[in-house]
Amino acid sequence: MALPLVLLTVAVQALVPAPAAESQDLAWAGTPAFLTGLATVWLLVPFQAAAEEYAFRGWLLQAVGSWCRSPWMAIAPQALLFAAAHGWGTVWGFTDLVVFSMVTGWMTIRTGGLEAAIALHVLNNLVSMSIAAAFAGAFALDDTAADMDVVTVAIDVPMTLLYAAAVLWVTRRNERANDTNTPS
């Protein structure tokens, strides 16, 4: 479910013109550099994104959650720490990371697993970094997700919320199906 939404987000972002201050010349990295970058991204990024999910939505969410009655008391600290781990960047980028982390934290609690959060995180990072591999010098930039502008956040947040709604809808549907199939 995450792949179509991530691709749609990238397509919409590509259609929106970049602010003049952020406009930069993009040059093709060349086939050898692109393929090397792509192979590196596809080899390492799934582990990187999954590790962040295990640390923040797995360990930290459960460690704090075991002491709190409300799930939001566990979701909020891990969301702020997740955003801070990506750097302070812009207010908009930090906000996007907090929203992403709160939504994936809620999905983790609601679904009872990390799978949905890992899928979104891995695909989001794979697609964006695969695109970056095509451009000369893109991996040398210091920009992170924390450096997003308001337009990118306005595109990214609805995608994250739409994905969560779809995952939670499927989860509820599966729970109802399991309830009707359980013998009395």
Side-chain angles (χ1 to χ4, degrees):
M1 286 188 291
L3 185 58
L5 291 171
V6 170
L7 292 175
L8 178 63
T9 300
V10 170
V12 171
Q13 288 173 353
L15 295 173
V16 175
E22 294 181 18
S23 183
Q24 52 187 320
D25 292 328
L26 301 175
W28 169 244
T31 302
F34 171 65
L35 293 177
T36 302
L38 198 61
T40 303
V41 163
W42 280 75
L43 180 66
L44 299 177
V45 166
F47 295 108
Q48 167 268 324
E52 286 183 12
E53 291 304 318
Y54 280 107
F56 291 99
R57 259 68 73 194
W59 175 78
L60 189 58
L61 189 66
Q62 289 185 37
V64 175
S66 67
W67 294 91
C68 304
R69 181 175 291 268
S70 169
W72 294 104
M73 295 299 290
I75 292 171
Q78 65 83 29
L80 292 171
L81 290 171
F82 176 81
H86 287 79
W88 298 106
T90 66
V91 170
W92 298 111
F94 192 82
T95 301
D96 181 80
L97 289 165
V98 169
V99 169
F100 177 88
S101 191
M102 291 188 78
V103 169
T104 53
W106 178 248
M107 280 192 310
T108 298
I109 289 171
R110 185 62 189 90
T111 64
L114 291 168
E115 296 85 355
I118 290 172
L120 180 60
H121 199 157
V122 167
L123 287 169
N124 185 54
N125 289 12
L126 270 179
V127 169
S128 62
M129 293 184 85
S130 293
I131 292 168
F135 301 105
F139 289 137
L141 298 175
D142 290 337
D143 290 352
T144 69
D147 297 311
M148 281 187 222
D149 61 20
V150 67
V151 174
T152 305
V153 173
I155 297 166
D156 192 54
V157 167
M159 181 277 298
T160 302
L161 295 172
L162 185 59
Y163 175 72
V167 166
L168 296 176
W169 178 78
V170 168
T171 299
R172 278 191 306 276
R173 195 178 89 197
N174 288 343
E175 286 172 347
R176 276 184 260 155
N178 289 338
D179 288 345
T180 60
N181 291 334
T182 305
S184 300

